Amino acid sequence: MDLISSWLGNTPEFAVPFALAALGLIITEKSGVLALGAEGLMLVGAVCGIGAYLTFEQTAVALVMAMVAAGVVSLLFALMVLVMRINQVISGLVLVFFCQGLTTLTGTLMGWTNQPVPGLEAIALWPLSELPYVGRFFIQNVVVYLVPVIFLISVWALNRTTSGLRMRAVGENPQAADAAGIPVLGYRLAAIVIGSALIGLAGAFIAVLSTKLWISNMTAGRGWIAVALVIFARWSPWKALAGAILFGCIEALIPQLAASGIKLPQYFVFMAPYAITLGVMIWVAISKRDSSSQPGALGTPFIREERT
């Protein structure tokens, strides 16, 4: 029972980065831009979050600075795909490799490696926190509790506001949106920056609130899992949140099994999340799930037609 209680208590900490990164990707891709740079942007958020905390010693400032940094770096991606119209798959991969080198260089030069930070104190949601076995699930830091609120606001903005509906129209049929007077490139740029800021927040959560220190390439492939999670969720934010909790349960279970005395091969532990991700992708492919939820113009560069 202690194993179950500890496992459930640690699950949100593992799930939040997946959830925030997946939401950021969904927002970006709803505008028609294929985003594969989550791994790199999470690293930017991680190193800048730690750097900001070590400088200002304020957790809120660190998280905001991480979001700003990821948003600024995403402008490079926006330049490549919106202005230069470089292939979006290649641009995403280039962004990841660039951010890996940039964050390693920055963190090393600034001396931020292995510098511990205190994080945030956990808050108990009474009386839920007193429930047997599952009570620890409701003892988390404030950012964990804000994640459902962030999802709720994002879903409302995408489906109920004029800007959100216009952004989705840009992702479905940019030519028609342009003919209706909607600035396609402007909405795609906004989606890239907002989505990247959320991905940066996911990276900062790992560094500032979970591991509470920074090391090179510490995201360890979570950005790629988030990419797969978006496909699994068919670009639905709520399904992505459910998938993030599922992957969080899996990641949280592995160290709990090891701590309980169950011997697991080291490389099996490293491989397990990616093997499960691969299995999910294969299941999505063979189940022939409806692809109507995929943005119609996803990955297609916008070229404005000349009007006569």
Side-chain angles (χ1 to χ4, degrees):
M1 293 301 101
D2 288 339
L3 172 64
I4 295 176
S5 177
S6 180
W7 170 43
L8 292 177
N10 289 329
T11 291
E13 188 174 293
F14 286 91
V16 165
F18 292 131
L20 291 174
L23 179 60
L25 290 170
I26 289 172
I27 291 174
T28 300
E29 295 189 353
K30 283 287 188 180
S31 71
V33 177
L34 180 61
L36 298 179
E39 181 75 6
L41 293 171
M42 289 177 73
L43 287 171
V44 171
V47 72
C48 289
I50 285 292
Y53 187 88
L54 294 174
T55 302
F56 300 103
E57 297 186 352
Q58 294 290 332
T59 303
V61 173
L63 298 179
V64 171
M65 291 295 291
M67 296 176 69
V68 171
V72 171
V73 172
S74 73
L75 294 177
L76 174 62
F77 175 69
L79 174 66
M80 290 189 287
V81 301
L82 300 183
V83 179
M84 303 176 69
R85 301 193 189 112
I86 299 175
N87 181 279
Q88 294 179 11
V89 173
I90 296 175
S91 299
L93 296 177
V94 167
L95 182 66
V96 171
F97 298 140
F98 170 74
C99 291
Q100 286 177 334
L102 177 65
T103 54
T104 299
L105 176 64
T106 303
T108 303
L109 290 179
M110 299 300 295
W112 295 338
T113 304
N114 292 320
Q115 294 290 326
V117 298
L120 286 175
E121 184 178 353
I123 301 173
L125 287 184
W126 188 88
L128 296 177
S129 60
E130 301 296 328
L131 293 173
Y133 308 132
V134 299
R136 287 188 58 182
F137 188 86
F138 301 100
I139 306 176
Q140 307 293 334
N141 65 66
V142 67
V143 177
V144 174
Y145 298 132
L146 287 177
V147 168
V149 178
I150 294 173
F151 269 75
L152 185 64
I153 293 173
S154 299
V155 171
W156 173 79
L158 286 171
N159 298 319
R160 301 295 181 182
T161 67
T162 301
S163 296
L165 293 173
R166 286 180 174 179
M167 189 186 76
R168 292 174 59 191
V170 165
E172 292 295 334
N173 192 329
Q175 301 297 344
D178 180 62
I182 299 175
V184 174
L185 296 182
Y187 273 92
R188 286 189 168 182
L189 174 61
I192 289 172
V193 173
I194 294 172
S196 298
L198 286 173
I199 297 171
L201 178 60
F205 183 93
I206 295 173
V208 179
L209 302 178
S210 182
T211 62
K212 300 178 183 177
L213 55 81
W214 180 83
I215 58 175
S216 179
N217 295 320
M218 66 180 303
T219 52
R222 290 180 177 88
W224 297 115
I225 295 177
V227 171
L229 183 57
V230 171
I231 300 172
F232 165 73
R234 306 309 299 172
W235 291 268
S236 167
W238 293 122
K239 290 180 181 179
L241 179 58
I245 294 174
L246 173 62
F247 277 98
C249 286
I250 295 169
E251 279 219 339
L253 179 61
I254 295 173
Q256 292 301 319
L257 292 176
S260 65
I262 300 176
K263 295 183 179 180
L264 296 172
Q266 178 183 7
Y267 294 106
F268 172 80
V269 173
F270 293 153
M271 178 192 71
Y274 308 103
I276 294 168
T277 302
L278 180 61
V280 168
M281 298 298 294
I282 294 174
W283 175 73
V284 170
I286 64 177
S287 63
K288 298 181 179 179
R289 302 177 70 189
D290 180 24
S291 61
S292 60
S293 55
Q294 175 180 322
L298 182 63
T300 304
F302 172 66
I303 302 176
R304 190 171 193 179
E305 296 178 352
E306 295 295 333
R307 301 172 184 173
T308 57

